[in-house]
C-alpha cells in the first residue's frame, strides 16, 4: 500500500501561488466604457455573481461600467428576503443584492428591462433594488449598440 507522506493541510495554507500576476494590470483609458449583460436566472448557477464581481472590477479599473439585466437576468435585481424583505434566510441569500448595491455605490449603473420584469416575472418597478434604472424593452438593443465601438462588453446568456 502506498504511504501518504505529505502533511495534512491546515487553515492558512494555500495550494497555488496566488500572488504572481502574469499580465500587466490593465486600466481604462479616459472615457472608456464597459457593459456586462445578464440573461441568467438568479440562484441557478454562479455566473450571475461572478459577472457582477467582474463588473465591479471593471469599474475599479476606471471603466464607466453598466450592467444590463434582461430576460431572466431581471431576477438578479429584485428585492428579496425571508421572513421579510432584506432578511437573509441563509448565508449568501443576499449575495446578488449586496454586490449590486456595492457596484452602484461605486458609481456603476444597473439597467433592468421592464418587459421581462412585468411580463415574464410578474414584478413591478417597486420590486427592484433602489438605484436600478428600469428601461423600455426597446432600449435593451440600443444600450448594446451604444457600447458597440470602443467598449469592453461581456454578454452572459444562460438558461
Amino acid at each position: 500500500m502506498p504511504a501518504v507522506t505529505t502533511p495534512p493541510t491546515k487553515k492558512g495554507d494555500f495550494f497555488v501561488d496566488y500572488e504572481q500576476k502574469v499580465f500587466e494590470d490593465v486600466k481604462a483609458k479616459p472615457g472608456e466604457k464597459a457593459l456586462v449583460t445578464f440573461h441568467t436566472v438568479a440562484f441557478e448557477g454562479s455566473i450571475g455573481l461572478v459577472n457582477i464581481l467582474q463588473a465591479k472590477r471593471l469599474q475599479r479599473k476606471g471603466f464607466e461600467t453598466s450592467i444590463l439585466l434582461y430576460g431572466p437576468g431581471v431576477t438578479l435585481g429584485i428585492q428579496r428576503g425571508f421572513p421579510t424583505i432584506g432578511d437573509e434566510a441563509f448565508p449568501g441569500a443576499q449575495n446578488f443584492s449586496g454586490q449590486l448595491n456595492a457596484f452602484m455605490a461605486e458609481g456603476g449603473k444597473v439597467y433592468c428591462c421592464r418587459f421581462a420584469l412585468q411580463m415574464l416575472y410578474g414584478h413591478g418597478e417597486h420590486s427592484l433594488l433602489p438605484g436600478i434604472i428600469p428601461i423600455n424593452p426597446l432600449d435593451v438593443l440600443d444600450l448594446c449598440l451604444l457600447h458597440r465601438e470602443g467598449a469592453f462588453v461581456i454578454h452572459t446568456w444562460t438558461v
Side-chain angles (χ1 to χ4, degrees):
M1 214 59 194
V4 176
T5 58
T6 306
T9 57
K10 60 188 178 308
K11 185 174 176 149
D13 287 350
F14 50 89
F15 293 116
V16 298
D17 179 357
Y18 60 87
E19 292 182 341
Q20 180 191 25
K21 193 159 174 356
V22 175
F23 303 103
E24 67 178 284
D25 187 19
V26 177
K27 301 289 185 188
K29 295 177 180 123
E32 280 192 307
K33 295 180 180 186
L35 173 65
V36 182
T37 71
F38 292 80
H39 192 282
T40 188
V41 180
F43 299 103
E44 293 293 318
S46 63
I47 198 64
L49 183 59
V50 168
N51 276 355
I52 295 171
L53 296 174
Q54 292 285 49
K56 283 176 67 177
R57 189 142 186 255
L58 285 163
Q59 183 75 16
R60 291 173 181 170
K61 286 179 163 291
F63 290 86
E64 181 187 316
T65 308
S66 299
I67 288 175
L68 169 62
L69 306 174
Y70 71 119
V74 301
T75 61
L76 297 166
I78 293 171
Q79 294 183 67
R80 57 185 81 241
F82 188 84
T84 63
I85 297 296
D87 290 340
E88 190 166 52
F90 56 86
Q94 294 290 353
N95 278 346
F96 300 118
S97 299
Q99 294 300 327
L100 286 170
N101 283 327
F103 173 74
M104 290 185 288
E106 293 179 21
K109 293 186 176 123
V110 180
Y111 300 95
C112 178
C113 174
R114 286 180 167 127
F115 174 82
L117 186 64
Q118 178 176 308
M119 180 64 218
L120 301 182
Y121 294 97
H123 286 278
E125 294 174 19
H126 67 281
S127 296
L128 293 173
L129 294 169
I132 293 181
I133 304 161
I135 61 172
N136 186 300
L138 298 176
D139 284 327
V140 168
L141 180 59
D142 288 326
L143 178 60
C144 293
L145 289 170
L146 288 170
H147 287 83
R148 72 179 175 248
E149 289 184 30
F152 180 75
V153 179
I154 298 174
H155 288 295
T156 302
W157 187 286
T158 58
V159 185

